[in-house]
Amino acid sequence: MQRIPVSEQLHGTELRLHGLMLRGLDGDAAAYRNFLQASSAHLRAFFRRRLQRWPDEVEDLVQECLLAIHNQRLTYDANMPLTSWIHAIARYKLVDWLRRHGRREAQHQPYDEQDEAQQLFSSADAEAAEASRDLGKLLATLPAQQRGAIVHTKLDGWSVRDTAAAMGISEASVKVAVHRGLKALAANLRTSAT
């Protein structure tokens, strides 16, 4: 398998996120939701690396960033790199958090901005790829109908009606398939954890 250079990964991430953001700004709710989900994975990786001693704070900071991105989305200049804009918001939220919590030892850690945006998005892409592989393995254990219903409704964000139409089954069957599939996945995870 050929490895894609980090610069191309970042470029691909930039293009994908930029496209989702612009479609979201044009009123495409699904694209905007996908943009926020993809951004949250990158932000989570960014904060995990910097707040290893305070893992409970990571999710709060991710949510603060997503809220700031949402509130400031109309100020985004579409001619500028989106990942840099997101990175700047994340940096400011991190600095604010450090100030609020007075973590003297964290405030005195050297901060290297060089390649920071690239690290933010490339490591998050690797984590996302690993999670995607794990999810694929889990979903492969399910019958096709349950797997399809979960993928369409939970991962792709389709409505139950759209999923039923695409799969050629009733809406009630979709709901049952999702419920049974999630129950089976939970049981598989419990057994593998022991």
Side-chain angles (χ1 to χ4, degrees), residues 45-56 58 109:
F46 174 82
F47 289 119
R48 273 192 201 130
R49 278 195 313 278
R50 283 152 188 81
L51 298 172
Q52 292 177 3
R53 287 185 260 166
W54 305 282
D56 296 338
V58 169
Q109 289 178 356

Side-chain angles (χ1 to χ4, degrees), residues 76-110:
Y76 170 65
D77 179 359
N79 297 317
M80 300 300 292
L82 179 63
T83 52
S84 296
W85 184 72
I86 294 171
H87 178 252
I89 291 172
R91 262 196 348 258
Y92 289 125
K93 290 297 179 184
L94 179 62
V95 169
D96 286 346
W97 183 87
L98 292 170
R99 284 184 186 140
R100 279 194 317 263
H101 291 83
R103 305 277 191 214
R104 219 167 71 199
E105 64 274 9
Q107 288 175 342
H108 295 290
Q109 289 178 356

Side-chain angles (χ1 to χ4, degrees), residues 32-127:
Y32 189 64
R33 183 174 49 252
N34 289 338
F35 163 76
L36 291 175
Q37 287 173 341
S39 297
S40 68
H42 297 298
L43 292 166
R44 202 168 283 114
F46 174 82
F47 289 119
R48 273 192 201 130
R49 278 195 313 278
R50 283 152 188 81
L51 298 172
Q52 292 177 3
R53 287 185 260 166
W54 305 282
D56 296 338
E57 302 295 331
V58 169
E59 203 55 40
D60 290 342
L61 283 168
V62 168
Q63 295 306 316
E64 282 185 38
C65 283
L66 291 176
L67 188 59
I69 288 168
H70 177 73
N71 289 337
Q72 299 300 317
R73 69 189 183 281
L74 298 177
T75 66
Y76 170 65
D77 179 359
N79 297 317
M80 300 300 292
L82 179 63
T83 52
S84 296
W85 184 72
I86 294 171
H87 178 252
I89 291 172
R91 262 196 348 258
Y92 289 125
K93 290 297 179 184
L94 179 62
V95 169
D96 286 346
W97 183 87
L98 292 170
R99 284 184 186 140
R100 279 194 317 263
H101 291 83
R103 305 277 191 214
R104 219 167 71 199
E105 64 274 9
Q107 288 175 342
H108 295 290
Q109 289 178 356
Y111 183 75
D112 183 16
E113 285 192 45
Q114 183 179 13
D115 296 329
E116 196 67 32
Q118 190 170 12
Q119 291 173 7
L120 166 66
F121 290 98
S122 63
S123 67
D125 283 344
E127 286 180 18

